[in-house]
Amino acid sequence: MDIQRINPREWNCNAVVFGDLVICSGMVADDKSVGMKGQTAQVLKKIAAVLAQAGTNKSRILSATVYMADASLKDDMNEAWMAWVDRANLPTRTAVGAVLTPGTMVEITVCAAK
């Protein structure tokens, strides 16, 4: 079975497609000035674009892991998540506090089916 790498860069790629699985790298916001909700919305938009490149979409997400620099802002992250996620096809999700690159409030990785 072939492996497809989406947007390969020096240290990683945005996603790997193997069979009917799409495994995305952790993604972060480009604009660090918009707070937790804004950064989450940016990240989710990036995830949607990568999933589209892989031939799938957010309704096919199987699992998500959300890393937050400040877990006390989880409600803000959840607002953006719930506005974006396909509520008819909810994935499993883990959200945890983590040390992230300065200025990065949230990093999200997902695994989806094609």
Side-chain angles (χ1 to χ4, degrees):
M1 205 176 298
D2 288 337
I3 298 172
Q4 175 190 1
R5 299 179 194 284
I6 297 177
N7 301 329
R9 299 181 303 243
E10 182 180 346
W11 64 93
N12 71 354
C13 58
N14 285 137
V16 172
V17 180
F18 182 71
D20 287 335
L21 285 179
V22 179
I23 304 161
C24 293
S25 288
M27 295 187 205
V28 299
D30 295 321
D31 181 356
K32 308 295 189 207
S33 69
V34 294
M36 176 66 85
K37 185 176 177 181
Q39 284 194 27
T40 302
Q42 284 182 39
V43 171
L44 296 172
K45 184 176 179 179
K46 289 170 93 172
I47 289 170
V50 170
L51 291 175
Q53 282 184 271
T56 191
N57 61 67
K58 65 184 176 182
S59 74
R60 307 281 293 163
I61 295 174
L62 303 170
S63 67
T65 304
V66 180
Y67 302 95
M68 299 170 290
D70 183 349
S72 73
L73 299 175
K74 184 176 181 181
D75 288 344
D76 293 340
M77 179 278 296
N78 274 332
E79 281 187 50
W81 174 267
M82 294 308 295
W84 178 83
V85 73
D86 182 339
R87 290 185 187 214
N89 295 291
L90 292 170
T92 65
R93 191 189 84 177
T94 301
V96 297
V99 177
L100 301 175
T101 304
T104 297
M105 300 188 81
V106 63
E107 181 170 346
I108 303 173
T109 185
V110 302
C111 178
K114 281 195 83 165

